[in-house]
Amino acid sequence: MGQLKPQKNVYAVIDLGSNSFHMLIAKSVAGGLQTIGRVKRKVRLAAGLDDNNLLSLEAMQRGWECLALFAERLQDIPKKNITIVATATLRLATNADDFKLRAEKILGHKVNVISGELEARTIYKGVAHTSSCAGKQLVIDIGGASTEVVIGQGFEARHYKSLNIGCVTYLERYFKDCQLNEANFNTAIEAARTVIDEIAPEYKTAGWQLASGASGTVQAIQEIMVAQNLNEMLTLEKLYTIKQQSIAYETIAELDLPGLSEERRLVFVSGLAILIALFESLEIEQMGLAGGALREGVLYSMLPELHNNDIRQRTIDGFMNRYHVDQKQASRVSGLALQLASEVNHYWPIEALSGLPLLNAVAQLHEIGLLIEYKQYHKHTAYILENTDMPGFSQSEHKVIVAIANSHRSDLQKGCLDHLGAHSRVATYIVRLLRVAVILSMRRQDDVLPNFKITAENEELAIQFESDWLKNHPLMASELNQEIKYQKKCGWKLKVN
Protein backbone atom coordinates (compact mmCIF):
# COMPACT_ATOMS: atom_id res chain seq x y z
CA MET A 1 0.00 0.00 0.00
CA GLY A 2 1.32 3.49 -0.89
CA GLN A 3 2.19 6.12 1.73
CA LEU A 4 -0.87 8.11 2.92
CA LYS A 5 -0.86 11.74 1.83
CA PRO A 6 -0.89 14.22 4.74
CA GLN A 7 -4.06 16.30 4.88
CA LYS A 8 -2.99 19.86 4.02
CA ASN A 9 -5.89 21.69 5.69
CA VAL A 10 -5.75 19.73 8.97
CA TYR A 11 -4.00 21.20 12.04
CA ALA A 12 -3.09 19.75 15.44
CA VAL A 13 -2.29 21.41 18.75
CA ILE A 14 -1.05 19.44 21.75
CA ASP A 15 -1.09 21.13 25.14
CA LEU A 16 0.94 19.43 27.89
CA GLY A 17 -0.88 20.90 30.86
CA SER A 18 -0.14 20.33 34.53
CA ASN A 19 -3.40 18.45 35.11
CA SER A 20 -4.35 17.07 31.66
CA PHE A 21 -2.73 16.57 28.27
CA HIS A 22 -4.97 17.63 25.39
CA MET A 23 -4.84 17.15 21.66
CA LEU A 24 -7.07 19.28 19.44
CA ILE A 25 -7.37 18.52 15.72
CA ALA A 26 -9.16 20.93 13.42
CA LYS A 27 -9.78 21.37 9.75
CA SER A 28 -10.02 24.76 8.06
CA VAL A 29 -13.28 24.83 6.06
CA ALA A 30 -15.58 27.55 4.75
CA GLY A 31 -13.46 30.36 6.22
CA GLY A 32 -13.61 28.89 9.71
CA LEU A 33 -12.34 26.01 11.84
CA GLN A 34 -14.11 22.69 12.31
CA THR A 35 -12.96 20.48 15.20
CA ILE A 36 -12.54 16.92 13.90
CA GLY A 37 -10.84 15.36 16.92
CA ARG A 38 -10.23 15.95 20.62
CA VAL A 39 -8.32 13.66 22.94
CA LYS A 40 -7.85 14.44 26.63
CA ARG A 41 -6.07 12.38 29.26
CA LYS A 42 -5.69 13.14 32.97
CA VAL A 43 -1.95 12.92 33.56
CA ARG A 44 -1.67 15.09 36.73
CA LEU A 45 1.95 15.90 35.90
CA ALA A 46 2.13 18.59 38.60
CA ALA A 47 1.39 15.96 41.28
CA GLY A 48 4.88 14.57 40.53
CA LEU A 49 6.73 17.76 41.58
CA ASP A 50 8.51 17.51 44.94
CA ASP A 51 9.54 20.40 47.23
CA ASN A 52 12.67 20.96 45.13
CA ASN A 53 10.65 21.00 41.88
CA LEU A 54 12.04 17.66 40.79
CA LEU A 55 9.57 15.77 38.62
CA SER A 56 9.14 12.12 39.63
CA LEU A 57 9.84 9.35 37.14
CA GLU A 58 6.35 8.00 37.80
CA ALA A 59 4.69 11.27 36.67
CA MET A 60 6.96 11.48 33.61
CA GLN A 61 6.02 7.88 32.73
CA ARG A 62 2.30 8.80 32.83
CA GLY A 63 3.05 11.68 30.45
CA TRP A 64 5.07 9.58 27.99
CA GLU A 65 2.40 6.88 27.87
CA CYS A 66 -0.19 9.50 26.99
CA LEU A 67 2.02 10.99 24.25
CA ALA A 68 2.48 7.55 22.68
CA LEU A 69 -1.32 7.54 22.16
CA PHE A 70 -1.25 11.03 20.62
CA ALA A 71 1.66 10.16 18.30
CA GLU A 72 -0.46 7.71 16.30
CA ARG A 73 -2.91 10.45 15.29
CA LEU A 74 -0.17 12.91 14.28
CA GLN A 75 1.19 10.70 11.50
CA ASP A 76 -1.41 11.90 8.98
CA ILE A 77 -0.87 15.64 9.61
CA PRO A 78 1.81 17.78 7.87
CA LYS A 79 4.66 18.58 10.29
CA LYS A 80 4.31 22.33 9.73
CA ASN A 81 0.65 22.12 10.84
CA ILE A 82 1.52 20.71 14.29
CA THR A 83 2.33 22.76 17.40
CA ILE A 84 3.12 21.29 20.82
CA VAL A 85 3.20 23.53 23.88
CA ALA A 86 4.04 22.74 27.50
CA THR A 87 3.06 24.94 30.45
CA ALA A 88 3.65 25.48 34.17
CA THR A 89 4.92 22.09 35.39
CA LEU A 90 7.59 21.87 32.73
CA ARG A 91 8.48 25.53 33.36
CA LEU A 92 9.04 24.70 37.03
CA ALA A 93 10.61 21.22 36.87
CA THR A 94 14.40 21.26 37.26
CA ASN A 95 14.60 18.03 35.22
CA ALA A 96 12.17 19.20 32.51
CA ASP A 97 14.77 18.48 29.81
CA ASP A 98 14.73 14.75 30.66
CA PHE A 99 10.98 14.68 30.07
CA LYS A 100 11.23 16.81 26.92
CA LEU A 101 13.90 14.73 25.18
CA ARG A 102 11.90 11.53 25.49
CA ALA A 103 8.63 13.32 24.59
CA GLU A 104 10.14 14.72 21.38
CA LYS A 105 11.39 11.26 20.42
CA ILE A 106 7.91 9.77 20.93
CA LEU A 107 6.13 12.54 19.00
CA GLY A 108 8.79 13.12 16.36
CA HIS A 109 8.22 16.81 16.99
CA LYS A 110 9.63 19.73 19.02
CA VAL A 111 8.01 20.54 22.36
CA ASN A 112 7.87 24.28 23.16
CA VAL A 113 7.89 25.10 26.88
CA ILE A 114 6.21 28.51 26.79
CA SER A 115 6.61 31.31 29.36
CA GLY A 116 3.74 32.19 31.70
CA GLU A 117 3.31 35.55 29.94
CA LEU A 118 3.09 33.92 26.50
CA GLU A 119 0.65 31.36 27.88
CA ALA A 120 -1.56 34.16 29.26
CA ARG A 121 -1.50 36.09 25.96
CA THR A 122 -2.26 32.94 23.94
CA ILE A 123 -5.17 31.99 26.23
CA TYR A 124 -6.57 35.47 25.70
CA LYS A 125 -6.24 35.07 21.92
CA GLY A 126 -8.17 31.76 22.12
CA VAL A 127 -10.97 33.44 24.07
CA ALA A 128 -11.06 36.51 21.81
CA HIS A 129 -11.40 34.34 18.70
CA THR A 130 -14.25 32.27 20.10
CA SER A 131 -16.33 34.84 22.00
CA SER A 132 -17.52 38.34 21.25
CA CYS A 133 -16.88 41.23 23.62
CA ALA A 134 -17.11 44.86 22.54
CA GLY A 135 -15.20 46.34 25.49
CA LYS A 136 -12.45 45.18 27.85
CA GLN A 137 -12.54 41.55 28.90
CA LEU A 138 -11.06 39.86 31.99
CA VAL A 139 -10.03 36.28 31.26
CA ILE A 140 -9.05 33.77 33.93
CA ASP A 141 -7.66 30.27 33.38
CA ILE A 142 -7.00 28.07 36.42
CA GLY A 143 -4.55 25.38 35.38
CA GLY A 144 -2.94 22.51 37.27
CA ALA A 145 0.13 24.49 38.42
CA SER A 146 -0.48 28.08 37.31
CA THR A 147 -3.36 30.52 36.89
CA GLU A 148 -3.38 33.07 34.09
CA VAL A 149 -5.12 36.42 34.58
CA VAL A 150 -5.50 38.69 31.55
CA ILE A 151 -7.31 41.88 30.60
CA GLY A 152 -7.55 42.53 26.89
CA GLN A 153 -9.55 44.34 24.27
CA GLY A 154 -10.32 43.07 20.78
CA PHE A 155 -7.58 40.55 19.98
CA GLU A 156 -4.90 42.21 22.10
CA ALA A 157 -3.96 41.31 25.67
CA ARG A 158 -3.15 44.50 27.65
CA HIS A 159 -2.41 43.20 31.15
CA TYR A 160 -1.29 39.60 31.58
CA LYS A 161 0.16 37.64 34.48
CA SER A 162 0.80 33.99 35.21
CA LEU A 163 0.52 33.18 38.94
CA ASN A 164 2.04 30.14 40.65
CA ILE A 165 -1.26 28.79 41.93
CA GLY A 166 -2.99 25.76 40.40
CA CYS A 167 -5.62 23.14 41.19
CA VAL A 168 -3.17 20.19 41.25
CA THR A 169 -0.47 21.90 43.34
CA TYR A 170 -3.12 23.26 45.76
CA LEU A 171 -4.71 19.83 46.07
CA GLU A 172 -1.32 18.39 47.13
CA ARG A 173 -0.66 21.29 49.48
CA TYR A 174 -3.97 22.13 51.18
CA PHE A 175 -6.21 19.08 50.71
CA LYS A 176 -3.52 16.43 51.07
CA ASP A 177 -5.52 14.53 53.69
CA CYS A 178 -8.55 14.69 51.28
CA GLN A 179 -10.66 16.12 54.11
CA LEU A 180 -13.24 18.77 53.24
CA ASN A 181 -13.74 21.30 56.00
CA GLU A 182 -13.90 25.04 56.59
CA ALA A 183 -10.26 25.14 57.76
CA ASN A 184 -8.80 23.41 54.65
CA PHE A 185 -10.81 25.62 52.33
CA ASN A 186 -9.99 28.84 54.13
CA THR A 187 -6.26 28.08 54.25
CA ALA A 188 -6.27 27.44 50.49
CA ILE A 189 -8.32 30.59 49.76
CA GLU A 190 -6.05 32.70 51.99
CA ALA A 191 -2.88 31.34 50.33
CA ALA A 192 -4.26 32.11 46.85
CA ARG A 193 -5.38 35.59 47.93
CA THR A 194 -1.86 36.43 49.13
CA VAL A 195 -0.59 35.81 45.57
CA ILE A 196 -3.52 37.52 43.76
CA ASP A 197 -3.49 40.60 46.06
CA GLU A 198 -0.14 41.59 44.53
CA ILE A 199 -1.68 42.12 41.08
CA ALA A 200 -5.18 43.20 42.25
CA PRO A 201 -4.59 47.01 42.31
CA GLU A 202 -3.31 47.08 38.69
CA TYR A 203 -6.23 44.96 37.46
CA LYS A 204 -8.95 46.81 39.37
CA THR A 205 -7.60 50.14 38.06
CA ALA A 206 -7.63 48.84 34.46
CA GLY A 207 -11.22 47.59 34.84
CA TRP A 208 -13.28 45.39 32.47
CA GLN A 209 -16.81 45.05 31.08
CA LEU A 210 -16.98 41.26 30.93
CA ALA A 211 -15.30 38.46 32.90
CA SER A 212 -14.82 34.99 31.38
CA GLY A 213 -13.39 31.80 32.85
CA ALA A 214 -11.49 29.57 30.42
CA SER A 215 -10.84 26.61 32.69
CA GLY A 216 -12.31 23.25 33.64
CA THR A 217 -13.09 24.62 37.11
CA VAL A 218 -15.46 27.27 35.71
CA GLN A 219 -17.09 24.73 33.39
CA ALA A 220 -17.55 22.27 36.27
CA ILE A 221 -19.21 24.96 38.43
CA GLN A 222 -21.53 25.87 35.56
CA GLU A 223 -22.54 22.22 35.17
CA ILE A 224 -23.29 22.01 38.91
CA MET A 225 -25.38 25.22 38.72
CA VAL A 226 -27.34 23.93 35.71
CA ALA A 227 -28.07 20.71 37.65
CA GLN A 228 -29.49 22.95 40.41
CA ASN A 229 -31.61 24.96 37.92
CA LEU A 230 -29.60 28.15 38.42
CA ASN A 231 -28.64 30.43 35.53
CA GLU A 232 -25.10 30.00 34.18
CA MET A 233 -23.48 33.22 35.49
CA LEU A 234 -21.03 32.63 38.35
CA THR A 235 -21.23 34.97 41.35
CA LEU A 236 -19.34 34.93 44.65
CA GLU A 237 -22.55 34.05 46.49
CA LYS A 238 -23.02 30.93 44.28
CA LEU A 239 -19.37 29.93 44.83
CA TYR A 240 -19.82 30.19 48.63
CA THR A 241 -22.95 28.01 48.38
CA ILE A 242 -21.09 25.34 46.38
CA LYS A 243 -18.21 25.49 48.90
CA GLN A 244 -20.69 24.76 51.75
CA GLN A 245 -22.33 21.97 49.71
CA SER A 246 -18.87 20.44 49.17
CA ILE A 247 -17.91 20.62 52.85
CA ALA A 248 -21.07 18.65 53.70
CA TYR A 249 -19.49 15.59 51.99
CA GLU A 250 -16.54 15.68 54.46
CA THR A 251 -14.01 13.97 52.11
CA ILE A 252 -13.06 14.30 48.43
CA ALA A 253 -13.70 10.55 47.98
CA GLU A 254 -17.35 11.07 48.98
CA LEU A 255 -17.80 14.33 47.04
CA ASP A 256 -20.81 13.78 44.79
CA LEU A 257 -22.36 17.12 43.83
CA PRO A 258 -25.11 16.82 41.16
CA GLY A 259 -23.58 17.79 37.81
CA LEU A 260 -19.94 17.24 38.88
CA SER A 261 -18.15 14.80 36.56
CA GLU A 262 -16.08 11.99 38.04
CA GLU A 263 -12.90 13.06 36.23
CA ARG A 264 -13.12 16.61 37.68
CA ARG A 265 -13.88 15.51 41.24
CA LEU A 266 -10.30 15.21 42.54
CA VAL A 267 -9.15 18.74 41.64
CA PHE A 268 -12.55 20.43 41.95
CA VAL A 269 -12.28 21.78 45.50
CA SER A 270 -8.76 23.18 45.05
CA GLY A 271 -9.91 24.91 41.83
CA LEU A 272 -12.99 26.26 43.63
CA ALA A 273 -10.83 27.69 46.44
CA ILE A 274 -8.62 29.52 43.89
CA LEU A 275 -11.68 30.86 42.06
CA ILE A 276 -13.19 32.18 45.30
CA ALA A 277 -9.88 33.95 46.04
CA LEU A 278 -9.91 35.51 42.54
CA PHE A 279 -13.50 36.74 42.97
CA GLU A 280 -12.73 38.20 46.41
CA SER A 281 -9.39 39.80 45.58
CA LEU A 282 -10.31 41.24 42.14
CA GLU A 283 -13.91 42.02 43.24
CA ILE A 284 -15.40 40.16 40.27
CA GLU A 285 -19.20 40.58 40.19
CA GLN A 286 -20.07 37.83 37.71
CA MET A 287 -18.36 35.52 35.25
CA GLY A 288 -19.36 33.41 32.25
CA LEU A 289 -17.63 30.50 30.55
CA ALA A 290 -15.26 31.29 27.68
CA GLY A 291 -15.52 29.38 24.40
CA GLY A 292 -11.81 28.69 23.90
CA ALA A 293 -8.44 28.95 25.63
CA LEU A 294 -4.79 28.00 25.10
CA ARG A 295 -5.29 25.34 22.40
CA GLU A 296 -7.61 27.55 20.38
CA GLY A 297 -5.19 30.48 20.77
CA VAL A 298 -2.32 28.37 19.38
CA LEU A 299 -4.55 27.16 16.54
CA TYR A 300 -5.60 30.67 15.49
CA SER A 301 -1.93 31.77 15.63
CA MET A 302 -1.19 29.09 13.00
CA LEU A 303 -3.93 30.40 10.68
CA PRO A 304 -3.47 34.14 10.11
CA GLU A 305 -6.15 34.12 7.39
CA LEU A 306 -8.77 33.63 10.11
CA HIS A 307 -7.88 36.86 11.86
CA ASN A 308 -11.18 38.39 10.85
CA ASN A 309 -12.33 41.06 13.30
CA ASP A 310 -16.01 40.17 13.13
CA ILE A 311 -16.10 36.69 14.66
CA ARG A 312 -19.88 36.57 14.65
CA GLN A 313 -20.06 37.30 10.92
CA ARG A 314 -17.34 34.72 10.29
CA THR A 315 -19.52 32.14 12.11
CA ILE A 316 -22.64 33.14 10.16
CA ASP A 317 -20.77 33.04 6.82
CA GLY A 318 -19.39 29.59 7.67
CA PHE A 319 -22.90 28.21 8.25
CA MET A 320 -24.24 29.84 5.08
CA ASN A 321 -21.47 28.36 2.93
CA ARG A 322 -21.69 24.92 4.48
CA TYR A 323 -25.49 24.64 4.14
CA HIS A 324 -25.81 26.42 0.76
CA VAL A 325 -28.13 29.12 2.09
CA ASP A 326 -29.80 31.46 -0.42
CA GLN A 327 -27.77 34.53 0.58
CA LYS A 328 -30.08 37.06 -1.11
CA GLN A 329 -33.10 35.75 0.79
CA ALA A 330 -31.13 35.62 4.04
CA SER A 331 -30.12 39.27 3.78
CA ARG A 332 -33.65 40.22 2.62
CA VAL A 333 -35.19 38.65 5.75
CA SER A 334 -32.51 40.00 8.11
CA GLY A 335 -32.76 43.52 6.58
CA LEU A 336 -36.54 43.48 6.98
CA ALA A 337 -36.41 42.04 10.52
CA LEU A 338 -33.89 44.72 11.62
CA GLN A 339 -36.10 47.41 10.01
CA LEU A 340 -39.10 46.13 12.00
CA ALA A 341 -37.00 46.13 15.18
CA SER A 342 -35.92 49.74 14.68
CA GLU A 343 -39.54 50.85 14.05
CA VAL A 344 -40.83 49.29 17.29
CA ASN A 345 -37.68 50.07 19.31
CA HIS A 346 -39.50 52.78 21.29
CA TYR A 347 -41.87 50.15 22.73
CA TRP A 348 -39.75 47.00 22.56
CA PRO A 349 -36.15 47.71 23.73
CA ILE A 350 -34.55 44.95 21.63
CA GLU A 351 -31.37 46.98 21.17
CA ALA A 352 -31.06 47.79 24.89
CA LEU A 353 -31.47 44.06 25.65
CA SER A 354 -28.54 43.27 23.22
CA GLY A 355 -30.97 41.47 20.92
CA LEU A 356 -30.05 42.97 17.52
CA PRO A 357 -26.99 40.73 16.83
CA LEU A 358 -29.13 37.68 17.73
CA LEU A 359 -31.98 38.81 15.47
CA ASN A 360 -29.50 39.40 12.63
CA ALA A 361 -27.83 35.99 13.14
CA VAL A 362 -31.00 33.91 13.29
CA ALA A 363 -32.58 35.84 10.37
CA GLN A 364 -29.55 35.04 8.20
CA LEU A 365 -29.45 31.40 9.32
CA HIS A 366 -33.17 30.55 9.54
CA GLU A 367 -33.12 28.51 6.31
CA ILE A 368 -30.09 26.26 6.89
CA GLY A 369 -32.47 23.36 7.62
CA LEU A 370 -33.86 23.54 4.07
CA LEU A 371 -30.90 21.43 3.01
CA ILE A 372 -32.60 18.51 4.82
CA GLU A 373 -36.27 19.03 3.84
CA TYR A 374 -38.91 21.77 3.69
CA LYS A 375 -41.81 20.71 5.94
CA GLN A 376 -39.94 20.76 9.28
CA TYR A 377 -37.03 22.91 8.15
CA HIS A 378 -37.25 25.21 11.21
CA LYS A 379 -36.72 22.17 13.47
CA HIS A 380 -33.75 21.00 11.34
CA THR A 381 -32.28 24.53 11.53
CA ALA A 382 -32.60 24.52 15.33
CA TYR A 383 -31.05 21.04 15.58
CA ILE A 384 -28.04 21.99 13.42
CA LEU A 385 -27.47 25.24 15.34
CA GLU A 386 -27.85 23.54 18.73
CA ASN A 387 -25.27 20.90 17.88
CA THR A 388 -22.64 23.13 16.26
CA ASP A 389 -20.19 25.51 17.97
CA MET A 390 -20.98 29.18 17.36
CA PRO A 391 -17.79 31.20 18.01
CA GLY A 392 -18.65 34.82 18.86
CA PHE A 393 -21.85 33.93 20.72
CA SER A 394 -21.95 33.08 24.42
CA GLN A 395 -23.63 29.90 25.65
CA SER A 396 -26.79 31.78 26.64
CA GLU A 397 -26.91 33.67 23.30
CA HIS A 398 -26.46 30.34 21.49
CA LYS A 399 -29.49 28.94 23.39
CA VAL A 400 -31.60 31.99 22.49
CA ILE A 401 -30.69 31.66 18.78
CA VAL A 402 -31.66 27.94 18.81
CA ALA A 403 -35.01 28.65 20.50
CA ILE A 404 -35.86 31.44 18.03
CA ALA A 405 -34.91 29.29 15.02
CA ASN A 406 -37.17 26.54 16.33
CA SER A 407 -40.13 28.96 16.69
CA HIS A 408 -39.72 31.20 13.62
CA ARG A 409 -42.55 29.64 11.56
CA SER A 410 -45.52 27.30 11.66
CA ASP A 411 -47.34 26.30 14.87
CA LEU A 412 -46.33 27.75 18.24
CA GLN A 413 -46.68 26.30 21.73
CA LYS A 414 -47.56 28.55 24.68
CA GLY A 415 -44.52 28.97 26.93
CA CYS A 416 -42.12 27.79 24.19
CA LEU A 417 -39.53 30.38 25.26
CA ASP A 418 -39.98 30.17 29.05
CA HIS A 419 -36.92 27.91 29.44
CA LEU A 420 -34.70 30.88 28.49
CA GLY A 421 -35.33 32.50 31.89
CA ALA A 422 -34.05 36.10 31.91
CA HIS A 423 -33.65 36.03 28.11
CA SER A 424 -37.23 34.96 27.34
CA ARG A 425 -38.49 38.56 27.00
CA VAL A 426 -36.02 39.59 24.27
CA ALA A 427 -36.47 36.18 22.56
CA THR A 428 -40.26 36.77 22.45
CA TYR A 429 -39.82 40.15 20.76
CA ILE A 430 -37.37 38.67 18.22
CA VAL A 431 -39.57 35.64 17.40
CA ARG A 432 -42.65 37.82 16.83
CA LEU A 433 -40.82 40.16 14.44
CA LEU A 434 -38.90 37.42 12.63
CA ARG A 435 -42.10 35.47 11.92
CA VAL A 436 -43.60 38.58 10.32
CA ALA A 437 -40.40 39.29 8.31
CA VAL A 438 -40.38 35.70 6.96
CA ILE A 439 -44.02 36.01 5.80
CA LEU A 440 -43.50 39.44 4.20
CA SER A 441 -40.47 38.09 2.27
CA MET A 442 -42.21 34.91 1.09
CA ARG A 443 -42.04 35.85 -2.62
CA ARG A 444 -38.22 36.02 -2.41
CA GLN A 445 -38.06 39.19 -4.54
CA ASP A 446 -37.04 42.69 -3.43
CA ASP A 447 -39.45 44.48 -5.77
CA VAL A 448 -42.57 42.84 -4.30
CA LEU A 449 -41.90 43.71 -0.65
CA PRO A 450 -44.96 45.61 0.66
CA ASN A 451 -45.03 49.15 2.04
CA PHE A 452 -46.38 49.09 5.57
CA LYS A 453 -46.22 50.72 8.99
CA ILE A 454 -45.67 48.73 12.17
CA THR A 455 -46.27 49.78 15.78
CA ALA A 456 -46.09 47.97 19.10
CA GLU A 457 -48.28 49.55 21.75
CA ASN A 458 -47.61 47.66 24.99
CA GLU A 459 -47.54 44.03 23.82
CA GLU A 460 -49.82 44.45 20.80
CA LEU A 461 -48.12 44.39 17.41
CA ALA A 462 -50.06 46.23 14.65
CA ILE A 463 -49.21 46.24 10.93
CA GLN A 464 -50.90 48.74 8.61
CA PHE A 465 -50.74 48.18 4.80
CA GLU A 466 -51.67 50.56 1.95
CA SER A 467 -55.41 50.53 1.18
CA ASP A 468 -55.87 47.71 -1.36
CA TRP A 469 -52.60 45.92 -0.90
CA LEU A 470 -53.95 42.89 1.03
CA LYS A 471 -56.92 42.54 -1.34
CA ASN A 472 -54.49 42.32 -4.27
CA HIS A 473 -52.25 39.81 -2.46
CA PRO A 474 -54.67 37.13 -1.16
CA LEU A 475 -51.97 34.53 -0.36
CA MET A 476 -50.02 36.99 1.81
CA ALA A 477 -53.31 38.08 3.48
CA SER A 478 -54.20 34.48 4.29
CA GLU A 479 -50.69 33.79 5.71
CA LEU A 480 -50.96 36.87 7.94
CA ASN A 481 -54.43 35.82 9.15
CA GLN A 482 -53.05 32.40 10.05
CA GLU A 483 -50.16 34.15 11.87
CA ILE A 484 -52.65 36.12 14.00
CA LYS A 485 -54.05 32.77 15.21
CA TYR A 486 -50.60 31.28 15.87
CA GLN A 487 -49.54 34.28 17.96
CA LYS A 488 -52.88 34.35 19.80
CA LYS A 489 -52.21 30.77 20.98
CA CYS A 490 -49.18 32.12 22.87
CA GLY A 491 -51.17 35.01 24.30
CA TRP A 492 -49.58 37.49 21.84
CA LYS A 493 -51.75 40.08 20.05
CA LEU A 494 -51.14 40.76 16.36
CA LYS A 495 -53.38 43.13 14.34
CA VAL A 496 -53.25 43.43 10.55
CA ASN A 497 -55.12 46.30 8.75
Side-chain angles (χ1 to χ4, degrees):
M1 229 171 94
Q3 182 64 41
L4 289 173
K5 274 206 175 79
Q7 303 145 301
K8 280 201 182 71
N9 62 338
V10 175
Y11 296 80
V13 176
I14 290 179
D15 156 20
L16 311 183
S18 303
N19 187 32
S20 307
F21 284 9
H22 296 258
M23 176 164 64
L24 169 64
I25 298 168
K27 194 175 183 177
S28 75
V29 278
L33 279 171
Q34 188 180 41
T35 300
I36 57 169
R38 268 185 201 276
V39 187
K40 173 187 175 185
R41 290 289 181 270
K42 277 266 181 288
V43 173
R44 296 188 54 246
L45 201 61
L49 283 174
D50 68 11
D51 295 343
N52 303 316
N53 282 337
L54 199 67
L55 195 54
S56 72
L57 185 60
E58 197 189 0
M60 292 202 274
Q61 202 66 51
R62 288 198 300 269
W64 293 328
E65 280 167 17
C66 171
L67 295 181
L69 299 179
F70 289 1
E72 182 189 339
R73 188 67 183 82
L74 294 182
Q75 294 170 53
D76 319 320
I77 299 169
K79 266 194 157 22
K80 64 176 183 13
N81 291 7
I82 299 170
T83 302
I84 299 164
V85 294
T87 56
T89 298
L90 292 173
R91 283 200 289 273
L92 293 168
T94 49
N95 55 341
D97 283 348
D98 298 349
F99 179 82
K100 235 179 89 173
L101 279 170
R102 176 93 183 268
E104 290 177 343
K105 231 191 198 113
I106 294 167
L107 295 167
H109 215 281
K110 190 173 171 357
V111 172
N112 306 300
V113 178
I114 58 174
S115 71
E117 272 68 27
L118 179 57
E119 183 179 357
R121 291 205 310 271
T122 310
I123 287 166
Y124 179 77
K125 184 181 272 189
V127 173
H129 271 285
T130 49
S131 54
S132 191
C133 172
K136 280 201 259 179
Q137 184 167 200
L138 170 73
V139 172
I140 280 168
D141 189 334
I142 300 168
S146 70
T147 293
E148 282 64 45
V149 187
V150 193
I151 292 176
Q153 191 158 11
F155 292 106
E156 194 193 340
R158 304 269 174 88
H159 303 262
Y160 41 91
K161 290 279 191 297
S162 181
L163 309 173
N164 283 333
I165 49 180
C167 58
V168 176
T169 47
Y170 267 47
L171 171 72
E172 302 290 317
R173 210 171 293 163
Y174 301 104
F175 297 92
K176 199 156 183 63
D177 55 2
C178 286
Q179 298 299 305
L180 295 179
N181 52 49
E182 202 74 46
N184 279 11
F185 255 108
N186 292 347
T187 315
I189 293 168
E190 219 29 69
R193 275 204 64 157
T194 308
V195 180
I196 303 157
D197 282 347
E198 290 180 22
I199 65 160
E202 176 196 336
Y203 278 70
K204 287 194 286 197
T205 305
W208 58 84
Q209 275 81 46
L210 179 77
S212 299
S215 66
T217 295
V218 174
Q219 188 175 349
I221 290 167
Q222 265 204 354
E223 285 162 4
I224 290 165
M225 293 187 328
V226 168
Q228 298 182 13
N229 293 320
L230 300 166
N231 81 353
E232 72 278 356
M233 289 313 266
L234 277 66
T235 62
L236 190 53
E237 198 181 332
K238 288 178 186 167
L239 299 184
Y240 287 152
T241 304
I242 292 171
K243 172 189 153 188
Q244 291 311 324
Q245 290 171 350
S246 302
I247 288 171
Y249 286 95
E250 295 182 3
T251 70
I252 292 177
E254 290 162 30
L255 184 64
D256 189 20
L257 290 165
L260 178 64
S261 71
E262 177 54 39
E263 62 157 33
R264 195 80 217 163
R265 182 167 55 92
L266 191 58
V267 293
F268 176 70
V269 289
S270 45
L272 176 61
I274 292 169
L275 193 59
I276 288 173
L278 285 158
F279 265 75
E280 289 178 351
S281 185
L282 299 175
E283 294 168 18
I284 300 167
E285 284 172 23
Q286 54 173 22
M287 178 182 283
L289 179 66
L294 180 66
R295 293 173 289 291
E296 288 76 11
V298 173
L299 201 51
Y300 281 100
S301 304
M302 290 157 77
L303 289 152
E305 69 272 17
L306 292 184
H307 290 194
N308 165 352
N309 286 337
D310 191 343
I311 306 162
R312 286 176 167 171
Q313 196 53 51
R314 185 175 74 206
T315 295
I316 292 167
D317 293 344
F319 273 110
M320 290 173 82
N321 291 336
R322 205 177 309 160
Y323 294 98
H324 307 289
V325 170
D326 177 343
Q327 307 220 355
K328 281 193 175 139
Q329 178 67 356
S331 62
R332 188 176 294 119
V333 173
S334 74
L336 192 53
L338 291 167
Q339 179 194 331
L340 297 175
S342 77
E343 289 185 26
V344 300
N345 195 46
H346 181 60
Y347 306 97
W348 290 2
I350 296 174
E351 188 172 359
L353 294 168
S354 311
L356 291 182
L358 308 186
L359 173 57
N360 174 55
V362 77
Q364 289 195 62
L365 299 177
H366 74 284
E367 287 193 339
I368 59 178
L370 277 178
L371 196 65
I372 299 170
E373 60 96 47
Y374 175 75
K375 192 178 175 193
Q376 299 283 334
Y377 86 76
H378 53 296
K379 292 196 172 357
H380 303 315
T381 297
Y383 178 83
I384 290 167
L385 291 172
E386 185 177 6
N387 292 287
T388 313
D389 285 336
M390 292 189 73
F393 297 94
S394 69
Q395 279 190 326
S396 51
E397 288 171 334
H398 190 166
K399 274 188 194 142
V400 171
I401 289 171
V402 169
I404 294 165
N406 197 33
S407 309
H408 85 265
R409 70 184 277 264
S410 187
D411 205 359
L412 281 165
Q413 297 306 315
K414 194 170 171 59
C416 58
L417 302 170
D418 291 355
H419 67 286
L420 298 171
H423 307 291
S424 60
R425 181 177 164 217
V426 72
T428 301
Y429 293 152
I430 293 174
V431 161
R432 295 182 67 183
L433 295 180
L434 181 61
R435 291 176 68 93
V436 170
V438 168
I439 293 169
L440 298 181
S441 319
M442 63 186 274
R443 285 183 59 188
R444 308 179 86 86
Q445 298 285 342
D446 288 333
D447 51 6
V448 293
L449 287 175
N451 287 323
F452 60 88
K453 265 185 32 205
I454 188 164
T455 53
E457 290 281 348
N458 301 319
E459 297 302 301
E460 180 181 277
L461 199 58
I463 310 172
Q464 180 95 38
F465 291 94
E466 291 170 339
S467 56
D468 282 345
W469 197 87
L470 285 175
K471 207 192 302 174
N472 297 330
H473 296 82
L475 178 61
M476 182 82 78
S478 111
E479 289 289 319
L480 287 165
N481 281 329
Q482 181 59 51
E483 183 57 24
I484 292 169
K485 291 175 193 156
Y486 283 145
Q487 296 214 14
K488 191 179 177 187
K489 245 179 99 173
C490 287
W492 304 334
K493 271 191 187 165
L494 174 65
K495 241 168 73 179
V496 177
N497 298 318

